[in-house]
Amino acid sequence: MRFVVCGKPLLVSRHEAIEPRSDGFFTIHTTQRMSDEKTRPLVIEARALRKCFGAFTAVEDISFSVARGEIFGLLGPNGAGKTTAIRMIYGFSPLTSGSMRVFGQDIHDGWRNIRSRIGVCQQENTLDPDLSVEQNLLVFAGYFALSRKTAVQRTHELLAYFALEHKKEAKVGELSGGMIRRLMLARILINDPELVILDEPTTGLDPQSRHQVWDKLKELRDRGLTILLTTHYMEEASWLCDRLLIVDRGRVLVEGAPQDLIQAHVGDSIIEVDQPEPALRDFIAAQDLAHEDFGGRIIIYSGQRPELERIIREDYCAHTCTFRNGTLEDVFLRLTGRGLRE
Amino acid sequence: MSKSARYSLRFLRVWQRNLLVYRRIWMVNFMVPLLEPVFYLLAFGIGFSGLIGDIDYAGRKISYVAFIAPALLATAIMFNSFYETTFASFVRMYYQKTFDALLATPLSLEEVITAEIVWGATKSVLAATLMLVVIALFGLVRFPEGLLILPLAFLGGMAFGAVGMYFTGITPSIDMFNLPIFLFVTPLFLFSGTFFPVAGLPLWGQYLATFSPLYHLVELSRLAVMGRMESELFFSLTYLVLFSVVFFFLAVRAMRRRLIK
């Protein structure tokens, strides 16, 4: 069930997901969309994926499955093995061991059929700079062996859907970053895929373009498309993903719905204390509170304990204290650590 | 994935893409093969022939211009496909990421590489056709046998397209193409019976020339254009076919190693 409230809701149960809309309203999801997840057919079944490049192991052991109609997120720091895992799904990278089934077929034998039913949007701009916007779609349709008639019709529809019609004669080099991303999204839909795979679809976009991409992805999901994406933006993953996987060093750390992961790993409430005094550290130790200490800042995973919040606010906030909800970013940082990668 | 399942006629879709791009700038693409033979034939015909006079070839005296005209065709066949599958393919593969996009569609790596090499051969045929018209205007081609240049251009284009693609598979950066060009293409261009008969070389040089794919291409194009050759027709044809096949598979293997990770 969905309903829309006017203005900014002051109090919303933390079991509900709030989603801002472009018109200033908010949509509140009160029930879990994926309650029938178990009964849906699986689109991707990845079992014990492993990928080595010589002595280097990019993917150690990753298993997951994606049901039809889901938006599934693959998160992790740089070098966690996300892109390698994605390349294994569409049969670009052969598996060192494990198994990958898409639409119930093994990728090793069924790669051509599988690829004809999916769309892959890579991290880099892989549009054809020698061709116009329109030709990019028409030529790509050829690779899927679509008939000329279908190709022309789909191209026309997709240019309109992604608001690119006025640019159809333009060369790719003349497009802005947002338009390039829209054209890449249009191109992966040319074969009317059942599954789309997006590697960081909104990296480098301005907020307007990013929201537009989110809207389109949700529309596509609502039409029954299955979507797998990677992202470094946690608020994007929270809003978009029905379920997600956090991977690091080639292994799965956690899997679940964003709200469930927040509940399980950082709790509802978080208190951030800047420049904490020694007395706070003693208090934390005495109370045995779940926390992380970064020297100049302490994060306390306080749970729903108003009394605790009151004590800290009154007794231990010499400088700045922030009382806020737990987010997916907290989960991510808590699980993958704060050390820089690469 | 069995090897045979990786080859299908779907490669023609990628070939079509290259043709579409070629047609966008057809004026530039046509200019070189039309003007190049004019420049060479004028320079050598007017400027050089006086110094050299007639030369002995396959037991007969012919004019120097008649001697080099078929060689110009052969070198154009070589350059067109070799440059296409080295510089142009490298740009598509490395800078434009075109192959990455292709390999997320129902195309195999083998089909993409086949399309690139066949496209290189197609450019050779297009260039040879245009040059043949120009050379014919100089009265240096006998017809209809001269039209055999067209299938020959395809064969020669496959040979040099395949070896070019092989270099693309093993060359780390685009600047490094200077190496195969200086060590492979330039010696072939100069010592394959193109500008002087191979008989003018010392014996060891003549022996080496028989390993040159360009020598056999030049010989076959002399046979087509003027009805004479000094090498064996069957040997030259077989050599070119084998050269194409061997380097085709070496190219696919090198590109697979390079791209599939």
Side-chain angles (χ1 to χ4, degrees), chain B residues 45-79:
Chain B
I46 298 169
F48 229 56
S49 293
L51 292 174
I52 297 171
D54 289 350
I55 57 169
D56 285 320
Y57 174 74
R60 208 167 128 199
K61 279 208 179 302
I62 54 170
S63 77
Y64 187 62
V65 171
F67 177 75
I68 64 159
L72 289 179
L73 278 164
T75 53
I77 290 166
M78 170 175 82
F79 281 126

Side-chain angles (χ1 to χ4, degrees), chain B residues 70-106:
Chain B
L72 289 179
L73 278 164
T75 53
I77 290 166
M78 170 175 82
F79 281 126
N80 268 279
S81 58
F82 189 83
Y83 275 79
E84 186 63 27
T85 58
T86 49
F87 288 102
S89 291
F90 196 91
V91 166
R92 284 192 282 273
M93 169 188 76
Y94 189 85
Y95 295 100
Q96 302 186 351
K97 312 272 177 211
T98 309
F99 292 4
D100 289 344
L102 291 173
L103 293 175
T105 74

Side-chain angles (χ1 to χ4, degrees), chain A residues 90-92 111-112 115-116 118 120-122 124-131 135-136 138-145 184 187-188, chain B residues 10-18 88-89 91-94 96-116 165 255 259-260:
Chain A
Y90 67 90
F92 181 84
W111 65 274
R112 205 191 288 271
R115 282 194 204 162
S116 71
I118 66 178
V120 180
C121 183
Q122 284 132 337
E124 295 125 336
N125 171 8
T126 58
L127 295 170
D128 199 323
D130 296 328
L131 301 174
Q135 285 173 331
N136 256 283
L138 289 172
V139 167
F140 219 67
Y143 303 148
F144 289 91
M184 286 189 73
R187 194 177 67 169
I188 64 169
Chain B
R10 204 181 285 238
F11 82 86
L12 287 171
R13 302 296 189 145
V14 185
W15 178 88
Q16 273 177 340
R17 177 251 170 233
N18 291 339
S89 291
V91 166
R92 284 192 282 273
M93 169 188 76
Y94 189 85
Q96 302 186 351
K97 312 272 177 211
T98 309
F99 292 4
D100 289 344
L102 291 173
L103 293 175
T105 74
L107 283 158
S108 67
L109 177 98
E110 284 73 5
E111 286 155 356
V112 173
I113 301 308
T114 306
E116 293 287 298
M165 201 72 211
M255 289 304 283
L259 290 177
I260 303 296

Side-chain angles (χ1 to χ4, degrees), chain A residues 283-319:
Chain A
F283 176 74
I284 288 171
Q287 299 278 319
D288 195 20
L289 298 175
H291 73 288
E292 283 185 89
D293 193 336
F294 306 105
R297 188 165 58 105
I298 289 181
I299 292 181
I300 302 165
Y301 303 103
S302 55
Q304 269 186 305
R305 292 160 68 183
E307 185 59 17
L308 177 69
E309 290 182 12
R310 189 189 60 75
I311 294 170
I312 291 178
R313 183 180 307 131
E314 288 175 3
D315 300 343
Y316 300 104
C317 275
H319 295 275

